[in-house]
Amino acid sequence: MKTQNKKPKKELTVEQKITRRNFISFTAFIVLAGGAFEGWRWLYKSPEETAGITGGTRGPLRRALNKTELFFRRVFSDNHLVKTYPKSMAAKHVRVNSDIGVEANKKFDPATWKLQVNKKGGEVLQVSLQELMALPKTEIVYDFKCVEGWDQISHWAGVKFSDFIKHFNLDDYAKMQYVGMETPDKGYYVGIDMPSAMHPQTLLAYEVNDKLLPLEHGAPLRLIIPVKYGIKNLKRIGTITFSNTRPHDYWAEQGYDYYSGL
Ligand SMILES: Nc1nc2c(c(=O)[nH]1)N[C@H]1C(S)=C(S)[C@@H](COP(=O)(O)O)O[C@H]1N2
Ligand SMILES: [Mo]
């Protein structure tokens, strides 16, 4: 029988163990930091996205954002309803946030206002507030959320966007991918994907707390779209346009998420 004469493995001292671990973690740190730096350099050098509708960030970042948007659009189907509340929980004083395109010093007469719907071939459908108010009225009390970090349960009423489409025989237009809305002075504008516009809780609203909208909340007509952040809830709708490409969007141009869904 042969016995192998193995040298007994030398026990490392505590000191040696520490040195060795330090070495391993330091090397790992260098490798990871190098990776992070290279990643950052790659991102920094990569071309900007095509300028136009969105804010001009790096291409790969926008691609990642678009992927997340697609994910959410698939997960949250149209029949997903935003949570609603009893009227008693609605704020009595609804916060007024921002006034682009509805500035108080701007001349605007709600009495002569008409909603302008751009149709094919340059045809414009004009709709008065009275016509809209004659359609079935829908109310909603929900938690209005602004990207700036505040939210408020508020009570709105108006015509469902989908009812408006049906009533004015705009079904063919609603087959397009987007709807764009602008203030009468074109100072503020939003682009909405059609599934969100046709969502059963999306309203062309003319009332808040059972009263006609005051000017600062977008009189005579505003968009209330509970599946989106406040930025998409355009106050004082002047024109509506349909398209298969993304309409321009005030905050998306500044780099905010185009979809801005909740
Ligand atoms: N015309 C117009 N609509 C607008 C805005 C605006 O500046 N101008 N701000 C948006 C933002 S960021 C929010 S949070 C809501 C605020 O609506 P409120 O003032 O009725 O609370 O309106 C949205 N619609
Ligand atoms: Mo907002």
Side-chain angles (χ1 to χ4, degrees):
M1 275 260 241
K2 264 207 294 187
T3 44
Q4 241 175 338
N5 236 355
K6 244 190 180 171
K7 254 199 222 159
K9 218 174 163 193
K10 217 178 95 195
E11 276 288 309
L12 294 174
T13 65
V14 173
E15 224 90 300
Q16 281 172 316
K17 277 187 185 162
I18 291 175
T19 318
R20 196 162 154 188
R21 282 190 188 172
N22 274 345
F23 177 74
I24 293 171
S25 29
F26 187 67
T27 312
F29 168 75
I30 293 293
V31 169
L32 289 176
F37 178 70
E38 277 310 313
W40 173 80
R41 230 173 43 157
W42 167 77
L43 198 56
Y44 189 77
K45 286 189 174 164
S46 54
E48 283 189 2
E49 62 174 330
T50 324
I53 300 297
T54 38
T57 183
R58 299 290 158 195
L61 285 182
R62 183 62 66 192
R63 281 198 291 281
L65 266 175
N66 287 346
K67 289 262 159 58
T68 38
E69 166 180 333
L70 245 149
F71 171 78
F72 280 106
R73 286 173 73 159
R74 285 187 186 138
V75 171
F76 297 108
S77 63
D78 303 347
N79 31 37
H80 156 90
L81 290 182
V82 169
K83 186 176 162 111
T84 55
Y85 297 82
K87 276 184 204 172
S88 58
M89 284 181 73
K92 297 282 166 290
H93 301 283
V94 179
R95 181 168 173 161
V96 175
N97 198 44
S98 158
D99 67 348
I100 306 160
V102 297
E103 295 88 349
N105 59 8
K106 222 168 238 170
K107 275 212 188 83
F108 176 74
D109 182 7
T112 56
W113 170 95
K114 275 194 177 167
L115 178 64
Q116 318 271 329
V117 184
N118 291 322
K119 296 177 74 173
K120 282 175 196 138
E123 195 194 328
V124 181
L125 166 72
Q126 300 211 16
V127 182
S128 69
L129 185 61
Q130 291 66 35
E131 286 174 273
L132 290 169
M133 290 178 77
L135 300 182
K137 179 161 137 184
T138 302
E139 295 183 50
I140 188 166
V141 182
Y142 77 106
D143 196 11
F144 186 107
K145 297 186 175 95
C146 169
V147 283
E148 288 167 77
W150 57 269
D151 66 291
Q152 189 178 49
I153 296 174
S154 44
H155 171 203
W156 309 88
V159 187
K160 273 188 199 177
F161 185 77
S162 59
D163 286 349
F164 159 81
I165 292 289
K166 258 179 264 152
H167 181 83
F168 290 97
N169 300 314
L170 297 166
D171 307 74
D172 283 346
Y173 292 89
K175 286 181 189 134
M176 291 196 221
Q177 288 179 47
Y178 295 96
V179 54
M181 298 188 186
E182 301 185 336
T183 52
D185 72 348
K186 315 223 172 298
Y188 195 87
Y189 36 90
V190 296
I192 311 277
D193 55 287
M194 199 58 76
S196 298
M198 294 297 280
H199 185 278
Q201 291 173 309
T202 300
L203 304 182
L204 296 175
Y206 47 77
E207 282 181 8
V208 60
N209 285 337
D210 292 318
K211 287 190 193 81
L212 286 179
L213 290 177
L215 284 171
E216 64 275 19
H217 283 304
L221 192 72
R222 78 171 299 171
L223 182 63
I224 284 294
I225 183 159
V227 295
K228 302 274 185 201
Y229 274 107
I231 42 175
K232 293 282 187 182
N233 291 243
L234 182 116
K235 297 192 271 194
R236 195 184 295 168
I237 308 173
T239 56
I240 295 186
T241 310
F242 302 89
S243 66
N244 280 318
T245 51
R246 284 179 163 185
H248 69 165
D249 184 280
Y250 189 90
W251 286 111
E253 281 171 2
Q254 308 294 317
Y256 281 79
D257 180 32
Y258 192 92
Y259 186 62
S260 288
L262 281 162

